[in-house]
Amino acid sequence: MRINHYSNAFNKNRTMDLNETKVKAKSLKQNSVQKRLLIGNVNTTIASPSSHRIGFTAVTTDHQMHMGIDHTVHFPKVITNVGNGFDPFTGIFRAPVSGLYLISASILSHSGQEVRCAITKNGGDIANIFSGDSTTYSTGAKSVLLDLVANDDVWVKIFGRNDVHIYGYSWSSFMGVLISP
C-alpha cells in the first residue's frame, strides 16, 4: 500500500507539474505575442503623433500663363497642411522631419498646349511630368517616394520650353505625406 500511495502521490505531482508547465508555456506564448504586437505597434504607428503627422494637399486656383523654364508651379489653395511643411506662397514643400515621403503632382494643360514639369528636390529634377495634346486638355501625373532629410525642399517646376500654360481652378494638384519617419 505504501508503494502505491507514493506512486499515486508521484503521479499526481507529475500531472500537476505537467499542467503547470503547459499553463506557463501558454502564458509565455501569449506574453510573447503581446510583446510582438506591442513592439509592432510601436514600429508601425508613430510614437509621437503631434511631431510626426505630416501631409499636405494643395491645388491651383487661377490659370498660370506664360510660364518659363525653371518657374515654380504654384498651388495656392491648401486643402491639407498638417505639419505646416507646405508654403502656398512659394509652392515649395519643406520637410519638417526626416523620413520617407510619398510625393505626387498632377498637371492639366490647356487645350492644344504641351506642359513639361519636374518634381524637384533641392534643385535637382527627380521625376518628369508630361501633359499635352494637340486638340484637347490633357493631364499628366507622377508619384515618387523620396527619402527626405529635415529641411529638404520639394516643388514642381517647368522645364523644356517657355510660354507654358497651367490650367487652374483646382485641376492641377501637388501633395505629399510622411509614410515613415
Side-chain angles (χ1 to χ4, degrees):
M1 276 291 185
R2 220 181 230 180
I3 295 174
N4 202 8
H5 174 69
Y6 287 121
S7 177
N8 285 340
F10 175 76
N11 285 337
K12 187 176 182 181
N13 286 339
R14 185 173 172 194
T15 302
M16 286 175 57
D17 287 344
L18 286 174
N19 285 338
E20 285 176 19
T21 302
K22 287 179 183 176
V23 168
K24 285 180 184 178
K26 185 176 180 182
S27 175
L28 286 173
K29 184 176 180 181
Q30 287 174 342
N31 286 340
S32 175
V33 168
Q34 287 173 346
K35 285 180 185 176
R36 281 195 308 248
L37 289 173
L38 288 173
I39 289 169
N41 285 343
V42 168
N43 289 335
T44 56
T45 59
I46 297 166
S48 177
S50 62
S51 65
H52 290 113
R53 287 189 57 217
I54 298 172
F56 74 94
T57 300
V59 296
T60 53
T61 52
D62 296 331
H63 301 314
Q64 295 175 47
M65 308 297 281
H66 309 292
M67 296 181 73
I69 294 172
D70 290 332
H71 284 179
T72 300
V73 179
H74 290 271
F75 302 91
K77 182 180 177 184
V78 175
I79 296 169
T80 304
N81 196 9
V82 176
N84 295 316
F86 180 72
D87 182 347
F89 299 105
T90 64
I92 296 173
F93 170 71
R94 177 165 286 162
V97 299
S98 298
L100 185 64
Y101 288 81
L102 174 63
I103 305 290
S104 183
S106 65
I107 302 294
L108 180 66
S109 64
H110 282 266
S111 181
Q113 296 281 317
E114 284 186 2
V115 175
R116 290 181 176 95
C117 294
I119 295 175
T120 304
K121 174 186 167 189
N122 297 331
D125 296 351
I126 300 296
N128 297 332
I129 302 168
F130 176 82
S131 174
D133 189 293
S134 62
T135 59
T136 188
Y137 298 91
S138 179
T139 299
K142 189 72 64 159
S143 296
V144 294
L145 284 173
L146 295 177
D147 191 12
L148 300 178
V149 177
N151 296 316
D152 276 348
D153 290 334
V154 179
W155 67 93
V156 179
K157 74 173 189 176
I158 302 297
F159 80 93
R161 62 187 308 168
N162 286 308
D163 201 28
V164 171
H165 308 296
I166 303 289
Y167 203 86
Y169 309 114
S170 300
W171 285 96
S172 299
S173 64
F174 184 36
M175 64 81 59
V177 63
L178 175 66
I179 294 175
S180 173

